[in-house]
Amino acid sequence: MTSHRVPFDGRFSIRDFPTDPPDGRPSKKELEQELADLVDQLDKWQHRLFADERFAVLAVFQAMDAAGKDSTIRKVFSGVNPAGFRVHAFGRPSELELRHDFLARIGQRLPERGKIGIFNRSHYEEVLVVRVHPQFLAAQHLPDVDLKRIWAERFESIRNFEQHLARNGTAIVKFWLNVSRKEQKKRFIDRIEKEDKNWKFRLGDLDDRGRWDDYQAAYQEALRETSREWAPWYAIPADDKPYMRTAVARVMVETMKRLDPQFPKLGADQRRELQKGLRRLQKE
Ligand code: AMP
Ligand code: MG
């Protein structure tokens, strides 16, 4: 199985990461079976994560429109105890948020130890949509902006921020759902033609589609500059939804395994207490 992990050496090239699954993709049925099994495992790992109380997990999702962020989040996490995870969607920052630095609103929504936090869009919008549309930057009340340096500075801030979180017990994993331009067109048309999907379509989405190459360039550089051992990016082929969801679930389970949270070991006192409790209950 390919891991789809983006290298840590800054040499990532979008051209090496296809939007289609690799050859020999299992059947849809097999993928769905595997997904169900992975979702089960993920729930068990979350249970341990909660009991262990040392680690948090942060899963970041970024993609072009219609790549399948929402449905992937739904399918991969819907089997996990709802008390164990929280999803945050980051849209355009509010006036108040714009009065803070760009990581402030992120910091307020990080998962605590024992929990999985899921970001549907994230601080990465600050080097993606904001880079492609500099008018967003103009609205950020920044003291001085040097367009030649600002993106490198933001990458540095993001790397440092994520490394800080990792050192303090948050395992970070980042997914770029890599959809092709052709497949996006198909999904947009579907959104227009199917009444129950109409609500998902906004004409403005086509403006971003029109800037496809600029977005690809921005994604390539962002992933090069921020895929690191402590916060790896995975470029997941997104043209095939069953494959994409299973690949994401697999990476989530692998991440939990690597973290290997443990149920706390009981001390002698606690074991004595359990025995006392048992005796009392048996006497009732
Ligand atoms: P959606 O995810 O379709 O609900 O749309 C959310 C929109 O908010 C997208 O168009 C994002 O690009 C935009 N967005 C998210 N974060 C930022 C940001 N930091 N600055 C500007 N736009 C953003
Ligand atoms: Mg949208």
Side-chain angles (χ1 to χ4, degrees):
M1 275 294 162
T2 12
S3 85
H4 306 300
R5 200 176 72 193
V6 173
F8 304 149
D9 60 3
R11 294 207 187 138
F12 168 67
S13 168
I14 276 188
R15 257 177 297 155
D16 302 334
F17 283 72
T19 54
D20 277 322
D23 291 342
R25 158 205 186 278
S27 71
K28 185 171 179 221
K29 210 172 145 214
E30 284 168 324
L31 286 168
E32 281 169 358
Q33 187 52 55
E34 190 186 346
L35 177 61
D37 181 51
L38 289 164
V39 165
D40 250 25
Q41 291 183 46
L42 194 56
D43 182 46
K44 293 203 176 85
W45 280 110
Q46 197 284 321
H47 196 71
R48 272 176 179 264
L49 187 78
F50 189 70
D52 184 306
E53 288 186 324
R54 284 179 299 166
F55 306 113
V57 174
L58 175 63
V60 170
F61 287 84
Q62 284 290 157
M64 296 297 284
D65 282 310
K69 290 192 304 293
D70 301 70
S71 73
T72 300
I73 292 170
R74 189 170 72 239
K75 297 280 179 182
V76 172
F77 296 96
S78 60
V80 177
N81 176 357
F85 73 97
R86 198 174 300 155
V87 185
H88 290 288
F90 290 94
R92 284 191 187 195
S94 68
E95 256 316 304
L96 180 63
E97 285 170 339
L98 287 172
R99 294 186 165 274
H100 291 274
D101 72 279
F102 74 91
L103 291 173
R105 67 174 181 161
I106 305 299
Q108 287 167 357
R109 291 171 176 83
L110 292 169
E112 68 263 37
R113 298 181 206 286
K115 300 283 176 76
I116 301 176
I118 299 151
F119 285 179
N120 184 341
R121 303 186 190 273
S122 66
H123 43 307
Y124 283 95
E125 293 291 331
E126 292 289 340
V127 290
L128 296 166
V129 68
V130 177
R131 189 170 189 177
V132 174
H133 301 282
Q135 70 269 25
F136 287 125
L137 198 59
Q140 292 190 357
H141 311 288
L142 295 169
D144 62 276
V145 175
D146 179 344
L147 281 175
K148 283 205 254 356
R149 284 202 334 253
I150 189 159
W151 312 115
E153 287 170 358
R154 287 193 167 190
F155 292 138
E156 189 184 353
S157 297
I158 291 173
R159 281 192 303 265
N160 291 340
F161 173 68
E162 292 180 349
Q163 191 170 27
H164 165 78
L165 296 178
R167 283 181 181 137
N168 286 278
T170 299
I172 304 170
V173 59
K174 301 175 292 198
F175 298 100
W176 174 46
L177 306 183
N178 180 17
V179 74
S180 68
R181 194 158 192 262
K182 193 167 151 218
E183 179 65 21
Q184 191 199 44
K185 180 172 176 179
K186 228 174 92 191
R187 292 186 192 169
F188 275 162
I189 290 175
D190 199 51
R191 286 180 175 188
I192 293 168
E193 288 180 347
K194 294 212 177 104
E195 218 169 282
D196 63 333
K197 291 190 177 172
N198 286 170
W199 63 275
K200 288 192 200 176
F201 185 79
R202 278 181 315 156
L203 199 56
D205 292 346
L206 296 189
D207 300 334
D208 277 333
R209 177 176 169 76
R211 303 291 302 273
W212 191 269
D213 292 343
D214 296 327
Y215 271 105
Q216 295 285 301
Y219 268 107
Q220 178 166 278
E221 202 180 345
L223 269 60
R224 270 185 191 165
E225 295 294 323
T226 60
S227 189
R228 294 295 182 268
E229 209 179 321
W230 62 83
W233 273 105
Y234 291 83
I236 308 284
D239 281 5
D240 177 325
K241 285 191 170 182
Y243 181 85
M244 164 172 65
R245 292 164 184 165
T246 307
V248 167
R250 201 182 298 125
V251 172
M252 283 307 301
V253 169
E254 278 165 11
T255 303
M256 300 295 256
K257 271 190 191 157
R258 217 170 307 126
L259 210 53
D260 198 23
Q262 302 289 327
F263 289 110
K265 298 239 178 340
L266 297 189
D269 281 357
Q270 285 162 308
R271 262 197 304 274
R272 257 193 305 278
E273 255 191 40
L274 290 179
Q275 286 312 316
K276 262 192 212 160
L278 187 62
R279 276 196 300 276
R280 257 167 74 175
L281 286 165
Q282 283 167 339
K283 266 194 244 156
E284 275 181 12

